[in-house]
Amino acid sequence: MSDLSSRKLSRRKLITTGLAATAGVSAMGVAAGIAQKYGLVPPDHGGIYGLGETLTYASQRLLTRHSLAREFSRSQISKPPFANEIEPLTDKFKRLQAGGFADWRLSVNGMVVRPASLSLDQLKSYPSHTQITMLQCEEGWSYIAEWVGVPLSHVLDVVGVLPQARYVVYFSIEPDTWESIDMADALHPQTFLTYGMNGDELPVGHGGPLRLRLPRQLGYKNVKFLTHLTVTDNLKGFGKGLGSASPEAGYAWYAGI
Ligand SMILES: Nc1nc2c(c(=O)[nH]1)N[C@H]1C(S)=C(S)[C@@H](COP(=O)(O)O)O[C@H]1N2
Ligand SMILES: [Mo]
């Protein structure tokens, strides 16, 4: 989706439609039609039951795509331990960990001019971004931490994204753990690849050595142990074609907060 304003969809029209949608299913059909027309149908939409998800995603994109997640002060950082620390126990991960992650690579390919395989040192040599934001799990708990890393937009600039790109798909070293986001979220200034947390290296329990952090979406979109990114204009070829592993397990592809 490129520039929405150039397509003359007024905020008023969407709000009017949104209000009308509360009045009945036929109006929801109209709203879904608008979402379809403007390319705002999420990859996991599913018939009539998908309408709610389509409307959430479409209205977020039209009304709040440039908004920022709240940032906090140092004094608000949560005290560890947090709820959900996990470690991938595969042999491959353990070998990389034993080597101090010197051989960890983030490969980037797909609709890019210069596919790349980046080491942590290379990522750390790029301009860094620090933020104190909240990670929120869909189960209801949350914590605030300070993360440091490199904006995903910078890495995308390094590889040169083709203009027809629409999504970034990202994969963990953990099997079957992958997600995707649209370009609005991929280029968002708070979306970044983190390698540090609370003044230290990013702990393995929180996804070290490398994790995607995007505070405008729920915890599960913040994939840990990141090894691969691919840029695409179509999500059909990935997994079951629903955009990520989450919808395959019953969670929404778009988890905006
Ligand atoms: N690779 C990987 N990434 C993951 C998960 C996972 O199981 N594996 N869990 C997700 C979920 S559901 C949440 S809520 C957050 C938890 O992040 P935390 O460990 O920093 O609290 O990580 C997300 N990223
Ligand atoms: Mo979660």
Side-chain angles (χ1 to χ4, degrees):
M1 190 68 230
S2 55
D3 188 11
L4 285 163
S5 54
S6 70
R7 301 195 182 203
K8 297 198 174 59
L9 178 64
S10 73
R11 214 170 244 239
R12 199 191 138 93
K13 186 169 182 188
L14 183 86
I15 291 165
T16 315
T17 311
L19 289 175
T22 59
V25 167
S26 62
M28 281 181 77
V30 172
I34 289 176
Q36 176 89 54
K37 181 169 172 199
Y38 292 95
L40 292 170
V41 177
D44 60 340
H45 78 99
I48 188 82
Y49 298 109
L51 271 178
E53 246 121 56
T54 297
L55 290 175
T56 305
Y57 177 56
S59 57
Q60 286 259 10
R61 277 293 158 273
L62 292 167
L63 300 175
T64 64
R65 65 201 292 252
H66 298 295
S67 68
L68 296 174
R70 179 170 170 204
E71 302 213 9
F72 298 84
S73 66
R74 283 234 160 88
S75 64
Q76 291 169 296
I77 291 174
S78 311
K79 303 275 173 292
F82 311 122
N84 198 30
E85 290 189 31
I86 53 153
E87 299 202 13
L89 295 170
T90 62
D91 287 345
K92 190 178 170 200
F93 185 90
K94 284 184 183 159
R95 272 199 305 278
L96 289 161
Q97 188 175 23
F101 298 121
D103 293 329
W104 191 275
R105 291 293 179 274
L106 177 73
S107 58
V108 189
N109 65 12
M111 295 185 121
V112 302
V113 182
R114 297 169 292 275
S117 176
L118 304 166
S119 68
L120 294 169
D121 281 349
Q122 272 170 296
L123 292 168
K124 288 175 183 171
S125 75
Y126 298 147
S128 75
H129 169 78
T130 300
Q131 68 173 237
I132 303 175
T133 50
M134 184 182 278
L135 185 140
Q136 289 173 263
C137 172
E138 76 291 350
E139 291 170 2
W141 53 266
S142 64
Y143 68 87
I144 295 168
E146 181 178 60
W147 281 276
V148 59
V150 54
L152 178 57
S153 64
H154 183 87
V155 173
L156 295 176
D157 276 351
V158 167
V159 295
V161 168
L162 300 179
Q164 60 273 40
R166 290 189 62 193
Y167 304 99
V168 174
V169 192
Y170 46 103
F171 298 83
S172 170
I173 198 168
E174 284 192 304
D176 305 319
T177 306
W178 61 284
E179 286 290 339
S180 70
I181 47 178
D182 65 11
M183 291 314 279
D185 266 338
L187 300 176
H188 188 275
Q190 289 173 315
T191 299
F192 68 129
L193 304 169
T194 60
Y195 45 71
M197 183 178 170
N198 293 340
D200 226 320
E201 300 283 297
L202 180 65
V204 166
H206 293 288
L210 192 67
R211 170 183 207 174
L212 189 86
R213 182 72 192 108
L214 88 155
R216 294 206 323 165
Q217 291 207 41
L218 286 174
Y220 64 81
K221 299 294 285 191
N222 293 246
V223 167
K224 303 174 176 188
F225 326 117
L226 213 62
T227 52
H228 178 50
L229 306 178
T230 190
V231 180
T232 183
D233 64 349
N234 190 333
L235 295 168
K236 286 285 170 244
F238 298 88
K240 293 183 180 162
L242 301 175
S244 66
S246 295
E248 296 177 10
Y251 295 94
W253 169 78
Y254 184 66
I257 38 181

